[in-house]
Amino acid sequence: QVQLVESGGGLALAGGSLRLSCAASGRTFSTYTMAWFRQAPGKEREVVAASIWGGGSAYVADSVKGRFTISRDNAKNTVYLQMNSLKPEDTAVYYCAADRLLGGSKWYNRYEYDYWGQGTQVTVSS
């Protein structure tokens, strides 16, 4: 069982930056593919970025490419989402997700992830 706790959300101005963190429990963090999803009111949950286990690739959705970066620190059991050049349409609840040994071909599929955090609100004002 893995527990995920997000932090770092809040209010930002358009063009500003925020960094989200997700701390995971357990001792096998490096074997988990970690991802960030977001869900805006009235919309489906969508993938933002993922970091593949075992030093694999990092992926970001087209909607945030060039603005958001995912990274991880396996020694700290933590994954980060650096969000720059924020836009009002980035406003959503952001969720951290994890799945053990999930391959890169499925990084975008929310149904593949077994573990989820409680979410953190990000609000971007214009």
Side-chain angles (χ1 to χ4, degrees):
Q1 190 78 4
V2 175
Q3 293 183 324
L4 305 174
V5 179
E6 302 103 331
S7 61
L11 177 65
L13 294 175
S17 298
L18 285 173
R19 189 175 83 154
L20 305 183
S21 300
C22 172
S25 64
R27 294 180 290 179
T28 58
F29 181 75
S30 64
T31 66
Y32 283 80
T33 286
M34 303 298 298
W36 289 96
F37 287 77
R38 67 185 182 185
Q39 188 166 18
K43 294 188 177 181
E44 290 197 358
R45 192 169 298 189
E46 63 174 3
V47 70
V48 177
S51 172
I52 307 305
W53 71 277
S57 300
Y59 299 95
V60 293
D62 288 344
S63 58
V64 303
K65 196 166 291 183
R67 300 189 298 121
F68 291 11
T69 303
I70 187 170
S71 62
R72 64 193 295 165
D73 186 336
N74 289 336
K76 295 183 177 180
N77 281 18
T78 302
V79 63
Y80 304 98
L81 185 67
Q82 179 66 45
M83 305 186 294
N84 299 329
S85 302
L86 284 162
K87 303 176 180 180
E89 50 264 44
D90 295 320
T91 295
V93 177
Y94 283 71
Y95 297 91
C96 177
D99 194 79
R100 192 165 186 267
L101 303 178
L102 182 66
S105 64
K106 301 178 181 179
W107 68 275
Y108 55 87
N109 189 340
R110 65 185 183 187
Y111 299 107
E112 294 286 346
Y113 291 85
D114 287 335
Y115 303 102
W116 292 83
Q118 81 287 353
T120 185
Q121 176 71 46
V122 171
T123 303
V124 183
S125 63
S126 58

